Amino acid sequence: MSDNKKPAAKVTLYPVSAAIWRNQNEKGTFYSVTFERSYKNGDGNWQRSDSFNATDLLLLAKVADQAHSKIVELRAGDKQAQPEDEAA
């Protein structure tokens, strides 16, 4: 993902978050998701990781579930935005 590209949506249950990315190809629009965990290092500075502890996994599952629901909403919005002759 490009650093300049912004996610279509974001889901957060601190400290775990999901960024939902809208992508286009010749077949149309599709969505992908990246997950990260925020934490403070020993110096008190915020860091991000894509690694999760055993204690993070239930929260990660809940964020993944919410991200899935958000993608369903985004897809429905994509279909409503299509012109009538392309929607079929």
Side-chain angles (χ1 to χ4, degrees), residues 1-11 17-25 28-36 48 50 63-64 66-68 70-72 74-75 78:
M1 312 288 152
S2 165
D3 288 337
N4 297 335
K5 185 177 176 185
K6 292 186 179 183
K10 199 164 185 182
V11 174
S17 63
I20 302 168
W21 303 94
R22 180 181 283 119
N23 301 283
Q24 292 283 127
N25 67 13
T29 302
F30 67 97
Y31 293 90
S32 60
V33 182
T34 56
F35 297 93
E36 71 180 23
R48 295 181 187 146
D50 59 3
V63 169
Q66 289 184 6
H68 176 266
K70 190 64 171 175
I71 290 171
V72 170
L74 291 168
R75 285 181 180 154
D78 291 344

Side-chain angles (χ1 to χ4, degrees), residues 31-64:
Y31 293 90
S32 60
V33 182
T34 56
F35 297 93
E36 71 180 23
R37 178 177 54 88
S38 299
Y39 66 95
K40 282 190 178 182
N41 66 13
D43 296 329
N45 297 317
W46 284 102
Q47 301 290 313
R48 295 181 187 146
S49 176
D50 59 3
S51 178
F52 300 89
N53 301 321
T55 57
D56 297 323
L57 295 179
L58 182 57
L59 196 54
L60 176 62
K62 290 181 179 191
V63 169

